[in-house]
Amino acid sequence: MTTVVRGSSDTLTRDALTVLQPGFVGTTAPDWLLRQIGEGLSAVGLFGRNIVTPEQLTALTAQLRAERDDVLVAIDEEGGDVTRLEVRDGSSFPGNYALGTADDTDLTREVARELGRRLAACGVDLNWAPSADVNANPDNPVIGVRSFGADARLVARHTVAYVEGMQASGVAACIKHFPGHGDTNVDSHHALPRIDVGLDTLHARDLLPFREAIAAGPKAVMSAHILLPALDAERPATLSPQILRGLLREELGYEGLIITDGIEMQAIASTYGIERGSVLAIAAGIDAICVGGGLADEATVLGLRDALVNAVRSGDLPEERLAEAAARVRGLADWTRGARSGAQQEGSAPDTVRADIGLVAARRAVRVTAGELPYEPVTGTPYVASFAPVANIAVGDETPWGVAPALTELLPGTVADTYGEPEADASALVSKVLAKAADRRIVAVVRDVHRHPWMAAALDALVETRPDTVVVEMGVNRAQPKGALHIATHGAARVCGRAAAEVITGQGAGA
């Protein structure tokens, strides 16, 4: 491949930089990033590694905009299990599954608006959320509680409400993962998922939320790295003209920005490579390349820039297509700059939205199933045993979850441990729990117990031995309720843990 001279400031090179949305490492902007913004880079993606406090984030976004006022600052802030804004403590907002369980679109709209207000106050103006996926496969390893639920119409109405709330705050919403990642049993971070269903099912189920949400005017749509033979038997959605132009643009009438999911995810990188994958994506109809969840350096940005420029010069990528993509990025930047200016004039007051709306929503999402005997609230110092599966990459393993922090606030002296998949059988794990618990009341916390046989076996053995065990399910609630009290929070955000702790201690009524 011919190497393009680095540092070129011609229109083609600027357009190539404009369509990239890279990440970086650190809590201040590195020199290389500021330099590339000066050269034409129009967007930056933020992740948990970039954020410590709201004040630090505000200073970071100000640093970026000192270089260029119209730079798009994007973040993957779904709330719930997937939080970047509160990666170190857990989210103040429940995620989609909890909101779908409460099934109050006004509540979803208020939660999204308050989350958007907090993002806007920190200088973030594009949120890669919400997930509009219908979680049709309960064994899905990557969507799960990130979806509003398994019913397409429920997902549709809450996606619409979320978009309306987020954009009312002046932050652009991005519905994902088009045309629907809910019916997969493979995580596209690791491999290419394939969904073998017919067109009727796709339209009635997976596409319905996108169709209805598009009418609400989301500023961005994120593509999925999934193969759907009914739509395109050769290329995943991110690289498919049939799906991006034929379906999304022409059939659904979407006119806004189309962004890829992380281009370095193995569904694309292991098959096409990120440079060729980016060229194919732009050629197929993508407007912006998201990169930086894993790759976050100047060499990656320059390599992608050069690949796009060289593809235009070789005739593999029409220059008009790249220019069109860059124009859409700039158009969104114009919208966000106007929205940011409007928000500054109006001030940052939450208006009629309650600042504690996240906790209100988490409480409403709790579902409680009592055991055979009357439940006695925990009043002493309990032992919390959290059975932890391996977190998927989107969620990450750095964000704390569970009920122990909240129980410790309500019941000082609470003791807690976390257990992973045992090397021996479940009885050995349970023996450890019983030994550490001694005579304390046990609270067993699980996450997607239906997907993890080791977890289910350990929970069964524990409840059989200690029938007074309280069970808290913080993932998808599919298994038969167990324990003296079974509490389903429908997500593992910090506020979900607080809502469960209130029920455990008798300070909340559940639902």
Side-chain angles (χ1 to χ4, degrees), residues 14-24 32-33 40-47 49 72 74-75 126 128 174 220-225 237-240 244 249 257-265 268-269 272-297 300-309 311 317 321-322 324-330 332:
R14 292 185 70 85
D15 283 350
L17 281 172
T18 295
V19 302
L20 303 180
Q21 296 192 348
F24 61 96
W32 72 261
L33 183 65
L41 186 68
S42 295
V44 175
L46 300 180
F47 298 86
R49 64 184 177 229
L72 280 168
I75 197 169
L126 168 59
W128 295 322
C174 176
V221 171
M222 178 175 284
S223 67
H225 304 327
T238 295
L239 312 182
S240 171
L244 299 176
R249 292 283 188 213
L257 191 75
I258 307 177
I259 306 171
T260 69
D261 205 345
I263 202 68
E264 73 270 36
M265 293 164 62
I268 299 296
Y272 300 91
I274 65 168
E275 294 183 1
R276 180 167 176 258
S278 295
V279 170
L280 291 173
I282 297 293
I286 287 289
D287 301 308
I289 305 294
C290 173
V291 62
L295 300 174
D297 53 49
T300 297
V301 172
L302 295 180
L304 293 175
R305 180 202 69 179
D306 292 354
L308 293 169
V309 169
L317 173 63
R321 172 78 273 275
L322 180 60
E324 176 189 47
R328 281 206 180 91
V329 175
R330 295 180 185 118
L332 178 56

Side-chain angles (χ1 to χ4, degrees), residues 387 430 454-466 480 482:
F387 297 159
V430 171
W454 71 269
M455 193 185 298
L459 185 62
D460 286 345
L462 180 60
V463 170
E464 183 177 354
T465 306
R466 291 283 296 268
Q480 185 69 27
K482 294 180 175 67

Side-chain angles (χ1 to χ4, degrees), residues 222-245:
M222 178 175 284
S223 67
H225 304 327
I226 55 175
L227 188 68
L228 298 103
L231 297 172
D232 187 335
E234 301 297 326
R235 289 184 175 179
T238 295
L239 312 182
S240 171
Q242 295 96 308
I243 293 175
L244 299 176
R245 293 204 296 264

Side-chain angles (χ1 to χ4, degrees), residues 116 120 124-125 165-172 335-336 339-340 343:
V124 176
D125 49 19
M166 182 62 59
Q167 294 190 169
S169 72
V171 175
W335 181 88
T336 58
R340 188 163 65 248

